[in-house]
Amino acid sequence: MRETARISLLETKNYITHISDDLTQSFKEVIGGDWGLDQLTDMNNVFLIDIEIFADGYGLVLYPSDKEATQLGYKKLLEKYSDGPLRDDNYRYGLDFSSYDLENEKDSKEIDDYYKSLSGFYFEWIANCWDNAGGSSFLKPIYVMMHDGAESFNLQNKNWVTDQTKWSQ
């Protein structure tokens, strides 16, 4: 990985870490029962909760769902970063793609490696904030996934599961 990519990852990690208190507070609200449910929905109808990461800014949205995978509402986490923390005006550490040739296999692999590292850190950061908020006391299954991803990270058991496994439990 190029030095500029390593620096971008390090600075991004530092930036994300500095907003940990904001995410921890959002998770405390979730643990306290603020799931963004539609007005007529009873909490007992919620089977599980998904937190979806949107790749364009790494914004986080929580979706409570019933057993049929019907979304029963939503709640934006990190509200002051409405487009995601990596789209915030104060974030200046993104990777400059101008030095990469996207037709070049080596360059494409470097970009893939960059995003794998960034995503790995982001999932770890979310799990740490969840734990710091007292997530171990939460009784509903709760998962984190990339938007349109096929696997989810279980915040309680700290393991990856397929969508099929998640919905069959």
Side-chain angles (χ1 to χ4, degrees):
M1 191 178 296
R2 297 177 193 186
E3 185 65 19
T4 55
R6 279 193 274 282
I7 291 169
S8 173
L9 279 174
L10 178 64
E11 294 297 336
T12 299
K13 288 177 182 180
N14 289 338
Y15 179 78
I16 293 298
T17 300
H18 113 268
I19 63 171
S20 294
D21 289 345
D22 295 333
L23 184 57
T24 300
Q25 181 57 42
S26 288
F27 282 150
K28 286 180 181 179
E29 293 168 10
V30 170
I31 292 166
D34 182 0
W35 302 347
L37 291 173
D38 295 334
Q39 274 189 333
L40 300 175
T41 303
D42 185 288
M43 290 177 102
N44 293 322
N45 293 338
V46 175
F47 176 65
L48 63 76
I49 295 176
D50 273 322
I51 298 170
E52 209 166 322
I53 302 170
F54 291 87
D56 62 343
Y58 279 60
L60 299 170
V61 179
L62 179 141
Y63 296 103
S65 299
D66 64 16
K67 286 186 179 190
E68 287 76 41
T70 303
Q71 292 176 353
L72 304 173
Y74 74 95
K75 174 182 174 66
K76 278 191 168 189
L77 304 175
L78 296 172
E79 288 238 8
K80 69 181 181 183
Y81 305 96
S82 60
D83 293 326
L86 302 190
R87 284 269 174 111
D88 181 55
D89 291 342
N90 295 318
Y91 175 74
R92 297 178 178 86
Y93 312 109
L95 187 60
D96 178 10
F97 293 105
S98 66
S99 65
Y100 290 89
D101 176 3
L102 300 180
E103 301 297 320
N104 179 296
E105 190 174 323
K106 183 181 176 209
D107 283 4
S108 291
K109 184 178 177 342
E110 280 189 38
I111 292 170
D112 286 347
D113 290 347
Y114 172 84
Y115 279 109
K116 284 179 188 172
S117 294
L118 178 60
S119 294
F121 168 75
Y122 208 70
F123 276 94
E124 181 181 311
W125 173 70
I126 291 168
N128 287 336
C129 290
W130 176 254
D131 290 343
N132 291 338
S136 63
S137 66
F138 196 68
L139 300 178
K140 293 281 183 192
I142 186 163
Y143 299 90
V144 181
M145 61 185 276
M146 290 302 288
H147 177 69
D148 290 335
E151 289 190 320
S152 299
F153 185 75
N154 183 319
L155 283 175
Q156 293 152 317
N157 298 334
K158 306 295 188 252
N159 65 325
W160 288 94
V161 298
T162 63
D163 275 352
Q164 182 180 5
T165 300
K166 177 172 69 174
W167 291 103
S168 65
Q169 296 179 9

